């Protein structure tokens, strides 16, 4: 998914009214939005009209030419402008907005309307761009008749406002899942870095209640977030930093043939491996999710989701 960029927010009218410090902060906040969006996979990039140029605006051009700006910040912005933007044709909807009694045409809002997108990305160059929602007026030609309408669009102007998009995406992503069977059938699309073992199917079908499945999804989401961004070898401590209650099994379990056998799980290719890493959570009951990182890969196997497995203490 791509989110339209509101080019009006980088208009020279707003640039000239900013102090030097404000201009710098505005650009850095914009970079933080793009960084967070990329990390959280909130959207794939920005939609921008090919007739206008972001890097030729005073906001970006002067900032990039400023010798006092950190080189790493400049490099980040240049990288984003080069790889995180998709150019589109001029929108069909002729869209405008009034700021300080001046009417501006917004191609970005027009792109949002054409693509039925409820969000737009702004620079915080004016207090109007820091409102949760903004109403844009637009005109469209329908059956040779000019129709005047309004559309309220949610604005993304910092990392906090970006969370609104993430929450909405999460709701839409999982709204069709109400049982363990639903989760099993949609698993591969939702969690491409988590390879499910056949034993998990039995677990999900045995405890299918929606509230329990929602707790399972929370665990899977965190694991998917970790493994999808994994650049080196697996680290239990790094995983804990995501807020996951995760552990390895004790030596007592690993040295006990009977307890080990419970954790010896068949993989999709038919071979079997011991699963010792597990997350702890409370769903319908005190639960465990066992996983096995795949060597030299950004993926892992999910081998078991269910009640606390037998240990020396818990029989």
């Amino acid at each position: 998914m791509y989110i339209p960029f509101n080019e009006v927010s980088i208009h020279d009218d707003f640039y000239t009214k900013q102090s030097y410090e404000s201009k710098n902060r505005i650009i850095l906040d914009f970079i933080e939005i793009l960084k967070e969006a990329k990390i959280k996979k909130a959207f794939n990039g920005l939609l921008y009209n090919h007739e206008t140029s972001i890097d030729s605006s005073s906001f970006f051009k002067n900032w990039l030419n400023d010798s006092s700006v950190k080189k790493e910040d400049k490099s980040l912005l240049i990288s984003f402008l080069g790889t995180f933007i998709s150019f589109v044709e001029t929108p069909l909807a002729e869209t405008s907005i009034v700021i300080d009694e001046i009417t501006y045409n917004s191609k970005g809002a027009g792109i949002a309307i054409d693509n039925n997108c409820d969000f737009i990305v702004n620079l915080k160059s004016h207090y109007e761009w820091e409102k949760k929602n903004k109403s844009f007026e637009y005109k469209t030609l329908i059956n040779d008749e000019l129709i005047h309408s309004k559309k309220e669009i949610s604005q993304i102007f910092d990392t906090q406002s970006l969370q609104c998009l993430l929450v909405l995406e999460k709701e839409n992503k999982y709204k069709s899942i109400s049982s363990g069977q639903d989760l099993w059938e949609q698993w591969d699309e939702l969690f491409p870095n988590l390879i499910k073992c056949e034993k998990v199917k039995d677990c999900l079908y045995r405890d299918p209640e929606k509230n329990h499945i929602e707790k399972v999804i929370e665990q899977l989401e965190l694991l998917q977030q970790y493994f999808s961004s994994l650049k080196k070898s697996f680290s239990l401590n790094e995983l804990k930093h995501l807020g996951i209650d995760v552990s390895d099994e004790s030596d007592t379990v690993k040295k006990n043939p009977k307890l080990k056998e419970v954790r010896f799980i068949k993989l999709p290719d038919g071979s079997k491996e011991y699963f010792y890493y597990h997350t702890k959570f409370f769903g319908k009951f005190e639960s465990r999710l066992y996983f096995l990182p795949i060597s030299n890969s950004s993926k892992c196997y999910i081998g078991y989701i269910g009640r606390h497995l037998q240990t020396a203490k818990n029989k």
Side-chain angles (χ1 to χ4, degrees), residues 5 9-10 18 21-38 43 46 59-60 63 69 73 76-77 80 84 121-126 129-130 156-162:
F5 176 72
S9 68
I10 57 173
Q18 304 293 334
E21 291 76 15
S22 294
K23 292 170 186 175
N24 188 52
R25 186 68 259 165
I26 287 168
I27 299 293
L28 292 177
D29 284 346
F30 176 67
I31 292 174
E32 285 302 313
I33 293 174
L34 301 185
K35 283 171 59 179
E36 188 78 1
K38 200 166 186 178
F43 50 83
L46 300 177
F59 266 108
F60 293 112
W63 189 82
V69 175
D73 290 334
L76 266 176
L77 179 61
F80 281 126
F84 212 56
V121 174
N122 300 323
L123 261 70
K124 293 197 297 185
S125 56
H126 192 282
W129 307 132
E130 298 183 49
I156 299 173
F157 51 86
D158 59 15
T159 54
Q160 186 173 351
S161 56
L162 179 64

Side-chain angles (χ1 to χ4, degrees), residues 157-185:
F157 51 86
D158 59 15
T159 54
Q160 186 173 351
S161 56
L162 179 64
Q163 293 303 313
C164 297
L165 173 63
L166 292 170
V167 169
L168 181 63
E169 285 185 334
K170 182 178 178 180
E171 290 174 352
N172 291 335
K173 191 175 184 179
Y174 302 119
K175 66 181 179 182
S176 62
I177 296 178
S178 59
S179 68
Q181 181 176 346
D182 292 337
L183 176 55
W184 175 261
E185 292 174 352

